[in-house]
Amino acid sequence: MTIKTKKGRIAIDSKLCKGCYLCVSVCPDKLIAISGELNEKGYYPAEFTETNTGEDRKCTGCAMCAVICPDIAIEVYRG
Amino acid sequence: MEKVVFKKPKYMKEVPFHYCPGCGHSIIHRLVAEAIEELAIGEKTIGVPPAGCAVLAYDYFDVDMGEAPHGRGAAVATGIKRTLPDRIVFSYQGDGDIAAIGTAETIHAANRGENITVIFVNNNCYGMTGGQMAPTTLLDQNSTTTPGGRDKNRDGSPIDLSEMLAITRGAVYIERTAVNSVKNIRKTKKAITKAFKVQMAGLGFSLVEILSPCPTNWKMSPIDACRRIDEDVAQTFPLKVIKDETS
Ligand SMILES: Cc1ncc(C[n+]2csc(CCOP(=O)(O)OP(=O)(O)O)c2C)c(N)n1
Ligand code: SF4
Ligand code: SF4
Ligand code: SF4
Ligand SMILES: [Mg+2]
C-alpha cells in the first residue's frame, strides 16, 4: 500500500518567532528545530530543518505547526 | 503549482504581537480574524477590547475597534450594537475582566439577549497585572495573592460564569473550548464562527469561553501550560457546549 502525501513546505519568519517550541512539539515529522542563534527580539527562533536533515522525511503541508503558532510566524505551502 | 495553505488572515495587521511566548491571546485573535474573513463581515465588524493583556487588540485587528473600560465590554458592545444594528459587534474579555469587575454588565447583557458576541478568554488569573487570583483561579492554584494555592474556605471556589450566563433567558449559544492543541484550536474556530452566525441571524447573545495558556503567570513552559489545560483547567471547566438554542 502506498500512502499518498502531498508535498509541503513552510517558511518561518524568524523576526516574529518567540521560540516557544509549540510548533516543534506538534510537527508529526519532527521537521522543526530551535536555532542556536538569537533573533533581534532576543529569542532563539524555530527553523525548518527539512532541507538539512539528510533523512527521507518530507513536510506534508499539514499546517499543524502554523495552527498552533501564537505569533503567526509560519506560512505553509503545498503542491 | 505551489499554493499557500496557511498565512496571516486578512483582518490582522502586519504588526508583531506583544504577547509573551506561548500566550493564547494571539491564537484567539487569529481565530476571530479568520472567522471574520470567512464570513465576509470584515467591513461591518466592530470589536471591543478589554483592560487586560489584550488591551492593545486594536493594534492587531484590522477592523473597527472601540476600547471598553475594565469589565464593561458587554455594555459598550450593547451600546454600539443598538446604535448600529447592522454591524457585527464582539467584545473580547479576560476572565478577571468579565468574571470579576464586569460580572453585572455581562449577566444583564446576556439576560437582555443583546445580539452581541462575547469572546471570553479564561487564563485563570489577572494576567496583565502580574498574576493575581481571579474568580476563575483553580483551587490549589498558586497566584501572587494566593501563595500556597487557592483555598476554598479562605478564597472561595472558581466561578462557573458561562454556566451562570446559560441560565439567563437571553443567552442563545454558549460554548467552552480551549486553544492548547491543534484539535482544540480548530474546534475553537468553529465555535467562534457559530457565535458570529448566531448574531448575523439576529438570534441573541452568544459567548465562547476559551481556556487559554498564560505560561508567564503560571510559571511554566508553553508546552507545559498547554498540558495543564488538559490535566487541570479543563477538569474544573469542562470543554462543552453549555447552551445551544439555535435549532
Ligand atoms: C477600573 C479598573 N480597575 C483595575 C484595573 C487594573 N487591571 C488592568 S488589567 C486587570 C486584570 C486583567 O485580567 P484579565 O481580565 O483576566 O485579563 P488577562 O490580562 O489575564 O488577559 C486589572 C485588574 C483597570 N485597568 N481598570
Ligand atoms: S506543515 Fe506539518 S509536516 Fe510541515 S513542518 Fe508544519 S507540522 Fe511539520
Ligand atoms: S510556534 Fe511560532 S513562535 Fe513558537 S517557536 Fe514555532 S514559529 Fe516560533
Ligand atoms: S502575562 Fe499571560 S496572558 Fe499576558 S501576555 Fe503574558 S502569557 Fe499572555
Ligand atoms: Mg486573565
Side-chain angles (χ1 to χ4, degrees):
Chain A
M1 196 181 85
T2 48
I3 299 165
K4 259 186 135 180
T5 48
K6 283 187 193 159
K7 202 174 144 9
R9 170 175 79 82
I10 64 166
I12 302 176
D13 187 335
S14 61
K15 289 195 302 298
L16 295 177
C17 174
K18 294 176 186 156
C20 72
Y21 278 87
L22 289 175
C23 57
V24 177
S25 75
V26 299
C27 177
D29 277 310
K30 303 269 173 273
L31 298 171
I32 308 173
I34 295 293
S35 137
E37 283 190 29
L38 289 174
N39 66 11
E40 60 194 38
K41 279 201 176 85
Y43 296 113
Y44 292 103
E47 55 185 13
F48 186 45
T49 61
E50 186 184 80
T51 46
N52 56 27
T53 53
E55 292 168 37
D56 187 23
R57 46 183 190 182
K58 286 276 178 275
C59 172
T60 56
C62 70
M64 301 224 284
C65 53
V67 167
I68 205 149
C69 175
D71 285 279
I72 322 186
I74 302 180
E75 276 188 2
V76 185
Y77 309 84
R78 220 183 281 161
Chain B
M1 248 269 287
E2 200 179 56
K3 275 198 307 230
V4 185
V5 292
F6 190 102
K7 65 172 172 41
K8 191 166 211 161
K10 182 174 171 193
Y11 294 103
M12 292 258 91
K13 294 178 191 163
E14 288 296 330
V15 174
F17 295 117
H18 72 280
Y19 300 109
C20 308
C23 177
H25 271 301
S26 44
I27 298 178
I28 297 164
H29 288 10
R30 191 191 81 224
L31 299 178
V32 172
E34 286 176 358
I36 288 171
E37 183 174 352
E38 282 164 29
L39 295 167
I41 52 174
E43 305 309 315
K44 59 171 181 179
T45 295
I46 303 176
V48 179
C53 281
V55 66
L56 298 177
Y58 51 75
D59 274 351
Y60 307 131
F61 281 97
D62 206 359
V63 300
D64 289 334
M65 302 287 277
E67 189 75 32
H70 197 23
R72 275 63 189 200
V76 172
T78 296
I80 295 173
K81 183 73 183 184
R82 286 189 177 211
T83 316
L84 301 167
D86 59 328
R87 307 301 166 92
I88 301 302
V89 184
F90 73 92
S91 71
Y92 184 106
Q93 305 181 245
D95 49 332
D97 184 272
I98 200 171
I101 194 168
T103 318
E105 283 80 357
T106 310
I107 288 180
H108 289 290
N111 194 55
R112 292 191 306 269
E114 297 295 342
N115 194 28
I116 59 172
T117 300
V118 175
I119 307 295
F120 161 21
V121 181
N122 183 355
N123 58 12
N124 327 126
C125 66
Y126 287 100
M128 184 197 214
T129 46
Q132 295 83 358
M133 188 193 93
T136 43
T137 297
L138 305 191
L139 289 178
D140 298 325
Q141 181 178 332
N142 266 304
S143 74
T144 53
T145 46
T146 54
R150 180 174 187 168
D151 177 78
K152 185 177 172 179
N153 295 322
R154 185 189 57 199
D155 312 310
S157 295
I159 197 166
D160 298 314
L161 184 75
S162 291
E163 280 81 357
M164 288 164 61
L165 294 172
I167 298 172
T168 67
R169 293 169 196 234
V172 173
Y173 169 62
I174 298 182
E175 180 163 355
R176 186 184 294 113
T177 65
V179 287
N180 64 328
S181 67
V182 171
K183 187 173 127 237
N184 283 341
I185 290 170
R186 293 200 165 120
K187 276 194 179 167
T188 299
K189 163 122 168 253
K190 278 201 188 126
I192 292 171
T193 304
K194 178 160 176 168
F196 277 135
K197 281 185 176 165
V198 166
Q199 183 179 164
M200 289 162 78
L203 299 179
F205 187 87
S206 55
L207 177 145
V208 185
E209 173 182 347
I210 304 161
L211 306 183
S212 177
C214 174
T216 299
N217 286 304
W218 297 358
K219 305 199 185 327
M220 50 181 77
S221 72
I223 290 175
D224 286 344
C226 288
R227 202 173 292 135
R228 174 182 186 259
I229 289 182
D230 282 331
E231 289 173 1
D232 290 343
V233 189
Q235 303 306 313
T236 297
F237 297 115
L239 305 183
K240 59 180 182 187
V241 176
I242 297 165
K243 185 174 193 181
D244 186 353
E245 290 194 340
T246 57
S247 43

PDB file of all heavy atoms in Angstrom, chain A residues 39-62:
ATOM      1  N   ASN A  39      17.452  35.840  17.654  1.00  0.00           N
ATOM      2  CA  ASN A  39      16.908  36.813  16.704  1.00  0.00           C
ATOM      3  C   ASN A  39      16.962  38.211  17.333  1.00  0.00           C
ATOM      4  O   ASN A  39      17.426  38.381  18.471  1.00  0.00           O
ATOM      5  CB  ASN A  39      15.497  36.426  16.240  1.00  0.00           C
ATOM      6  CG  ASN A  39      14.458  36.480  17.361  1.00  0.00           C
ATOM      7  OD1 ASN A  39      14.729  36.992  18.442  1.00  0.00           O
ATOM      8  ND2 ASN A  39      13.271  35.965  17.089  1.00  0.00           N
ATOM      9  N   GLU A  40      16.462  39.199  16.605  1.00  0.00           N
ATOM     10  CA  GLU A  40      16.624  40.578  17.107  1.00  0.00           C
ATOM     11  C   GLU A  40      15.789  40.879  18.355  1.00  0.00           C
ATOM     12  O   GLU A  40      16.056  41.810  19.089  1.00  0.00           O
ATOM     13  CB  GLU A  40      16.346  41.596  15.994  1.00  0.00           C
ATOM     14  CG  GLU A  40      14.959  41.523  15.399  1.00  0.00           C
ATOM     15  CD  GLU A  40      14.864  42.313  14.078  1.00  0.00           C
ATOM     16  OE1 GLU A  40      15.834  42.285  13.282  1.00  0.00           O
ATOM     17  OE2 GLU A  40      13.831  42.953  13.878  1.00  0.00           O
ATOM     18  N   LYS A  41      14.755  40.036  18.581  1.00  0.00           N
ATOM     19  CA  LYS A  41      13.963  40.197  19.814  1.00  0.00           C
ATOM     20  C   LYS A  41      14.663  39.565  21.010  1.00  0.00           C
ATOM     21  O   LYS A  41      14.255  39.772  22.157  1.00  0.00           O
ATOM     22  CB  LYS A  41      12.609  39.500  19.661  1.00  0.00           C
ATOM     23  CG  LYS A  41      11.544  40.265  18.912  1.00  0.00           C
ATOM     24  CD  LYS A  41      10.183  39.678  19.309  1.00  0.00           C
ATOM     25  CE  LYS A  41       9.034  40.428  18.695  1.00  0.00           C
ATOM     26  NZ  LYS A  41       8.712  39.975  17.345  1.00  0.00           N
ATOM     27  N   GLY A  42      15.666  38.720  20.741  1.00  0.00           N
ATOM     28  CA  GLY A  42      16.357  38.054  21.845  1.00  0.00           C
ATOM     29  C   GLY A  42      15.857  36.651  22.110  1.00  0.00           C
ATOM     30  O   GLY A  42      16.096  36.097  23.183  1.00  0.00           O
ATOM     31  N   TYR A  43      15.104  36.092  21.153  1.00  0.00           N
ATOM     32  CA  TYR A  43      14.658  34.710  21.287  1.00  0.00           C
ATOM     33  C   TYR A  43      15.460  33.820  20.342  1.00  0.00           C
ATOM     34  O   TYR A  43      15.965  34.279  19.315  1.00  0.00           O
ATOM     35  CB  TYR A  43      13.175  34.592  20.908  1.00  0.00           C
ATOM     36  CG  TYR A  43      12.239  35.359  21.816  1.00  0.00           C
ATOM     37  CD1 TYR A  43      11.528  36.454  21.344  1.00  0.00           C
ATOM     38  CD2 TYR A  43      12.037  34.969  23.145  1.00  0.00           C
ATOM     39  CE1 TYR A  43      10.649  37.157  22.164  1.00  0.00           C
ATOM     40  CE2 TYR A  43      11.165  35.658  23.971  1.00  0.00           C
ATOM     41  CZ  TYR A  43      10.470  36.749  23.480  1.00  0.00           C
ATOM     42  OH  TYR A  43       9.613  37.438  24.286  1.00  0.00           O
ATOM     43  N   TYR A  44      15.531  32.528  20.674  1.00  0.00           N
ATOM     44  CA  TYR A  44      16.088  31.541  19.747  1.00  0.00           C
ATOM     45  C   TYR A  44      14.949  31.059  18.846  1.00  0.00           C
ATOM     46  O   TYR A  44      14.065  30.348  19.314  1.00  0.00           O
ATOM     47  CB  TYR A  44      16.698  30.358  20.525  1.00  0.00           C
ATOM     48  CG  TYR A  44      17.941  30.739  21.304  1.00  0.00           C
ATOM     49  CD1 TYR A  44      17.903  30.928  22.683  1.00  0.00           C
ATOM     50  CD2 TYR A  44      19.154  30.921  20.635  1.00  0.00           C
ATOM     51  CE1 TYR A  44      19.041  31.293  23.390  1.00  0.00           C
ATOM     52  CE2 TYR A  44      20.299  31.281  21.347  1.00  0.00           C
ATOM     53  CZ  TYR A  44      20.233  31.477  22.718  1.00  0.00           C
ATOM     54  OH  TYR A  44      21.352  31.837  23.411  1.00  0.00           O
ATOM     55  N   PRO A  45      14.929  31.468  17.590  1.00  0.00           N
ATOM     56  CA  PRO A  45      13.771  31.167  16.742  1.00  0.00           C
ATOM     57  C   PRO A  45      13.770  29.741  16.204  1.00  0.00           C
ATOM     58  O   PRO A  45      14.807  29.079  16.139  1.00  0.00           O
ATOM     59  CB  PRO A  45      13.925  32.176  15.593  1.00  0.00           C
ATOM     60  CG  PRO A  45      15.386  32.430  15.500  1.00  0.00           C
ATOM     61  CD  PRO A  45      15.947  32.276  16.893  1.00  0.00           C
ATOM     62  N   ALA A  46      12.585  29.306  15.804  1.00  0.00           N
ATOM     63  CA  ALA A  46      12.430  27.991  15.190  1.00  0.00           C
ATOM     64  C   ALA A  46      12.950  28.032  13.770  1.00  0.00           C
ATOM     65  O   ALA A  46      12.918  29.067  13.111  1.00  0.00           O
ATOM     66  CB  ALA A  46      10.952  27.604  15.201  1.00  0.00           C
ATOM     67  N   GLU A  47      13.451  26.884  13.301  1.00  0.00           N
ATOM     68  CA  GLU A  47      13.819  26.800  11.891  1.00  0.00           C
ATOM     69  C   GLU A  47      13.362  25.472  11.290  1.00  0.00           C
ATOM     70  O   GLU A  47      13.289  24.455  11.958  1.00  0.00           O
ATOM     71  CB  GLU A  47      15.318  27.043  11.670  1.00  0.00           C
ATOM     72  CG  GLU A  47      16.230  26.147  12.470  1.00  0.00           C
ATOM     73  CD  GLU A  47      17.714  26.518  12.305  1.00  0.00           C
ATOM     74  OE1 GLU A  47      18.035  27.594  11.782  1.00  0.00           O
ATOM     75  OE2 GLU A  47      18.547  25.696  12.714  1.00  0.00           O
ATOM     76  N   PHE A  48      13.014  25.554  10.009  1.00  0.00           N
ATOM     77  CA  PHE A  48      12.556  24.404   9.244  1.00  0.00           C
ATOM     78  C   PHE A  48      13.786  23.603   8.857  1.00  0.00           C
ATOM     79  O   PHE A  48      14.714  24.132   8.244  1.00  0.00           O
ATOM     80  CB  PHE A  48      11.831  24.924   7.998  1.00  0.00           C
ATOM     81  CG  PHE A  48      11.166  23.869   7.168  1.00  0.00           C
ATOM     82  CD1 PHE A  48      10.403  22.863   7.756  1.00  0.00           C
ATOM     83  CD2 PHE A  48      11.252  23.912   5.784  1.00  0.00           C
ATOM     84  CE1 PHE A  48       9.756  21.909   6.968  1.00  0.00           C
ATOM     85  CE2 PHE A  48      10.615  22.967   4.994  1.00  0.00           C
ATOM     86  CZ  PHE A  48       9.864  21.967   5.590  1.00  0.00           C
ATOM     87  N   THR A  49      13.809  22.330   9.231  1.00  0.00           N
ATOM     88  CA  THR A  49      15.055  21.580   9.063  1.00  0.00           C
ATOM     89  C   THR A  49      15.010  20.583   7.915  1.00  0.00           C
ATOM     90  O   THR A  49      15.966  19.851   7.705  1.00  0.00           O
ATOM     91  CB  THR A  49      15.388  20.796  10.346  1.00  0.00           C
ATOM     92  OG1 THR A  49      14.314  19.882  10.590  1.00  0.00           O
ATOM     93  CG2 THR A  49      15.556  21.714  11.525  1.00  0.00           C
ATOM     94  N   GLU A  50      13.886  20.557   7.190  1.00  0.00           N
ATOM     95  CA  GLU A  50      13.764  19.501   6.181  1.00  0.00           C
ATOM     96  C   GLU A  50      14.953  19.480   5.225  1.00  0.00           C
ATOM     97  O   GLU A  50      15.457  18.421   4.885  1.00  0.00           O
ATOM     98  CB  GLU A  50      12.481  19.661   5.376  1.00  0.00           C
ATOM     99  CG  GLU A  50      12.277  18.496   4.428  1.00  0.00           C
ATOM    100  CD  GLU A  50      11.050  18.702   3.571  1.00  0.00           C
ATOM    101  OE1 GLU A  50      11.147  19.436   2.586  1.00  0.00           O
ATOM    102  OE2 GLU A  50      10.007  18.148   3.914  1.00  0.00           O
ATOM    103  N   THR A  51      15.390  20.642   4.813  1.00  0.00           N
ATOM    104  CA  THR A  51      16.441  20.691   3.807  1.00  0.00           C
ATOM    105  C   THR A  51      17.788  20.232   4.343  1.00  0.00           C
ATOM    106  O   THR A  51      18.664  19.889   3.581  1.00  0.00           O
ATOM    107  CB  THR A  51      16.599  22.114   3.258  1.00  0.00           C
ATOM    108  OG1 THR A  51      16.620  23.008   4.371  1.00  0.00           O
ATOM    109  CG2 THR A  51      15.459  22.454   2.327  1.00  0.00           C
ATOM    110  N   ASN A  52      17.948  20.254   5.678  1.00  0.00           N
ATOM    111  CA  ASN A  52      19.269  19.861   6.157  1.00  0.00           C
ATOM    112  C   ASN A  52      19.260  18.640   7.090  1.00  0.00           C
ATOM    113  O   ASN A  52      20.205  18.411   7.815  1.00  0.00           O
ATOM    114  CB  ASN A  52      19.975  21.057   6.815  1.00  0.00           C
ATOM    115  CG  ASN A  52      19.149  21.655   7.936  1.00  0.00           C
ATOM    116  OD1 ASN A  52      18.356  20.949   8.550  1.00  0.00           O
ATOM    117  ND2 ASN A  52      19.320  22.934   8.188  1.00  0.00           N
ATOM    118  N   THR A  53      18.168  17.872   7.079  1.00  0.00           N
ATOM    119  CA  THR A  53      18.182  16.670   7.917  1.00  0.00           C
ATOM    120  C   THR A  53      18.953  15.553   7.240  1.00  0.00           C
ATOM    121  O   THR A  53      19.499  14.686   7.909  1.00  0.00           O
ATOM    122  CB  THR A  53      16.763  16.130   8.183  1.00  0.00           C
ATOM    123  OG1 THR A  53      16.122  15.966   6.926  1.00  0.00           O
ATOM    124  CG2 THR A  53      15.970  17.045   9.072  1.00  0.00           C
ATOM    125  N   GLY A  54      18.938  15.560   5.911  1.00  0.00           N
ATOM    126  CA  GLY A  54      19.606  14.489   5.191  1.00  0.00           C
ATOM    127  C   GLY A  54      18.845  13.173   5.274  1.00  0.00           C
ATOM    128  O   GLY A  54      19.297  12.143   4.802  1.00  0.00           O
ATOM    129  N   GLU A  55      17.674  13.178   5.894  1.00  0.00           N
ATOM    130  CA  GLU A  55      16.887  11.953   6.001  1.00  0.00           C
ATOM    131  C   GLU A  55      15.706  12.033   5.046  1.00  0.00           C
ATOM    132  O   GLU A  55      15.348  13.091   4.581  1.00  0.00           O
ATOM    133  CB  GLU A  55      16.367  11.791   7.433  1.00  0.00           C
ATOM    134  CG  GLU A  55      17.463  11.521   8.436  1.00  0.00           C
ATOM    135  CD  GLU A  55      16.946  11.667   9.864  1.00  0.00           C
ATOM    136  OE1 GLU A  55      15.796  11.282  10.111  1.00  0.00           O
ATOM    137  OE2 GLU A  55      17.700  12.188  10.695  1.00  0.00           O
ATOM    138  N   ASP A  56      15.086  10.897   4.814  1.00  0.00           N
ATOM    139  CA  ASP A  56      13.989  10.862   3.874  1.00  0.00           C
ATOM    140  C   ASP A  56      12.667  11.160   4.598  1.00  0.00           C
ATOM    141  O   ASP A  56      11.829  10.304   4.768  1.00  0.00           O
ATOM    142  CB  ASP A  56      13.946   9.500   3.186  1.00  0.00           C
ATOM    143  CG  ASP A  56      12.912   9.492   2.074  1.00  0.00           C
ATOM    144  OD1 ASP A  56      12.581  10.582   1.581  1.00  0.00           O
ATOM    145  OD2 ASP A  56      12.447   8.398   1.714  1.00  0.00           O
ATOM    146  N   ARG A  57      12.492  12.363   5.045  1.00  0.00           N
ATOM    147  CA  ARG A  57      11.206  12.723   5.649  1.00  0.00           C
ATOM    148  C   ARG A  57      10.778  14.056   5.071  1.00  0.00           C
ATOM    149  O   ARG A  57      11.577  14.974   4.902  1.00  0.00           O
ATOM    150  CB  ARG A  57      11.290  12.757   7.164  1.00  0.00           C
ATOM    151  CG  ARG A  57      12.489  13.484   7.685  1.00  0.00           C
ATOM    152  CD  ARG A  57      12.554  13.410   9.202  1.00  0.00           C
ATOM    153  NE  ARG A  57      13.598  14.318   9.685  1.00  0.00           N
ATOM    154  CZ  ARG A  57      13.908  14.434  10.953  1.00  0.00           C
ATOM    155  NH1 ARG A  57      13.295  13.729  11.858  1.00  0.00           N
ATOM    156  NH2 ARG A  57      14.858  15.270  11.322  1.00  0.00           N
ATOM    157  N   LYS A  58       9.521  14.140   4.768  1.00  0.00           N
ATOM    158  CA  LYS A  58       9.076  15.284   3.986  1.00  0.00           C
ATOM    159  C   LYS A  58       7.883  15.976   4.635  1.00  0.00           C
ATOM    160  O   LYS A  58       6.968  15.335   5.125  1.00  0.00           O
ATOM    161  CB  LYS A  58       8.650  14.802   2.584  1.00  0.00           C
ATOM    162  CG  LYS A  58       9.828  14.425   1.692  1.00  0.00           C
ATOM    163  CD  LYS A  58      10.407  15.665   0.995  1.00  0.00           C
ATOM    164  CE  LYS A  58      11.599  15.340   0.138  1.00  0.00           C
ATOM    165  NZ  LYS A  58      12.859  15.313   0.923  1.00  0.00           N
ATOM    166  N   CYS A  59       7.905  17.273   4.584  1.00  0.00           N
ATOM    167  CA  CYS A  59       6.782  18.077   5.056  1.00  0.00           C
ATOM    168  C   CYS A  59       5.561  17.800   4.179  1.00  0.00           C
ATOM    169  O   CYS A  59       5.652  17.813   2.961  1.00  0.00           O
ATOM    170  CB  CYS A  59       7.161  19.550   4.984  1.00  0.00           C
ATOM    171  SG  CYS A  59       5.800  20.680   5.313  1.00  0.00           S
ATOM    172  N   THR A  60       4.415  17.541   4.835  1.00  0.00           N
ATOM    173  CA  THR A  60       3.194  17.267   4.076  1.00  0.00           C
ATOM    174  C   THR A  60       2.359  18.532   3.884  1.00  0.00           C
ATOM    175  O   THR A  60       1.321  18.488   3.236  1.00  0.00           O
ATOM    176  CB  THR A  60       2.328  16.238   4.830  1.00  0.00           C
ATOM    177  OG1 THR A  60       2.072  16.757   6.142  1.00  0.00           O
ATOM    178  CG2 THR A  60       3.019  14.897   4.924  1.00  0.00           C
ATOM    179  N   GLY A  61       2.787  19.610   4.498  1.00  0.00           N
ATOM    180  CA  GLY A  61       1.966  20.824   4.425  1.00  0.00           C
ATOM    181  C   GLY A  61       0.704  20.708   5.259  1.00  0.00           C
ATOM    182  O   GLY A  61      -0.302  21.344   4.977  1.00  0.00           O
ATOM    183  N   CYS A  62       0.757  19.913   6.327  1.00  0.00           N
ATOM    184  CA  CYS A  62      -0.436  19.683   7.152  1.00  0.00           C
ATOM    185  C   CYS A  62      -0.860  20.939   7.920  1.00  0.00           C
ATOM    186  O   CYS A  62      -1.980  21.049   8.380  1.00  0.00           O
ATOM    187  CB  CYS A  62      -0.184  18.539   8.137  1.00  0.00           C
ATOM    188  SG  CYS A  62       0.987  18.964   9.448  1.00  0.00           S
TER     189      CYS A  62
END
